[in-house]
Amino acid sequence: MASTSVSRVVPAPPRKVWDLIGGFGSLPDWLPYIPESTALEGGRVRRLANPDGDVIIERLVDFNEAERHYSYAILEAPFPVNGYVSTLRVHEVPGRDDLAEVQWSGRFNPDNVTDTEAEDLFAGIYRDGLDALHQSLDRASAARPTA
């Protein structure tokens, strides 16, 4: 089984970050690669569409509001892996109430690619996603009126 993890410190308090990313259907709110998310099975499954028209179906497998994390499994996707489970988590930054660390990690079995190729693919997806989150939070901060 291969795995990868990417972390990024973002310019917002952990609660605000979790409010943005903690909903299982909230990817379109901060991730440009996923402009559409449709809730299925009472919100336990999400059907995602990317700009290329690819469909990704994921099932929520763990959710913890108090600890600010959720995990999901890919049921269907155009990725060269199987057995994929990923976790998105928001941590406090010690001594800072204006910052949060977001960690996106996954483990999976590569299909017809090497472990390194699969790890690089998802590290890139996670890195791009956390960059997009950072930009969303920057825009939100800039739009806030100053007193």
Side-chain angles (χ1 to χ4, degrees):
M1 184 164 272
S3 65
T4 192
S5 181
V6 174
S7 294
R8 175 103 192 240
V9 173
V10 295
R15 170 53 48 200
K16 180 178 178 181
V17 176
W18 181 248
D19 287 347
L20 177 60
I21 72 172
F24 191 54
S26 70
L27 287 179
D29 297 340
W30 60 274
L31 189 60
Y33 178 72
I34 303 294
E36 181 184 326
S37 177
T38 304
L40 305 169
E41 296 183 24
R44 301 288 296 176
V45 172
R46 63 185 178 195
R47 181 188 184 281
L48 309 171
N50 71 19
D52 297 329
D54 294 324
V55 171
I56 304 161
I57 299 177
E58 299 172 336
R59 176 177 296 282
L60 184 65
V61 295
D62 183 48
F63 183 88
N64 189 311
E65 179 77 25
E67 293 180 12
R68 298 187 191 109
H69 66 83
Y70 71 82
S71 298
Y72 60 94
I74 289 181
L75 305 178
E76 178 186 322
F79 304 126
V81 298
N82 64 63
Y84 176 101
V85 176
S86 183
T87 300
L88 191 58
R89 152 184 333 262
V90 178
H91 298 283
E92 294 180 3
V93 174
R96 297 290 301 262
D97 60 4
D98 60 333
L99 300 175
E101 179 185 10
V102 181
Q103 179 186 32
W104 200 349
S105 60
R107 61 186 193 280
F108 35 82
N109 298 308
D111 258 345
N112 298 314
V113 296
T114 67
D115 284 9
T116 301
E117 289 170 321
E119 289 166 350
D120 289 349
L121 170 68
F122 286 103
I125 289 170
Y126 300 163
R127 196 171 26 259
D128 291 349
L130 295 182
D131 286 350
L133 173 63
H134 191 277
Q135 291 168 5
S136 289
L137 292 166
D138 275 349
R139 282 192 301 274
S141 291
R144 231 184 335 209
T146 55

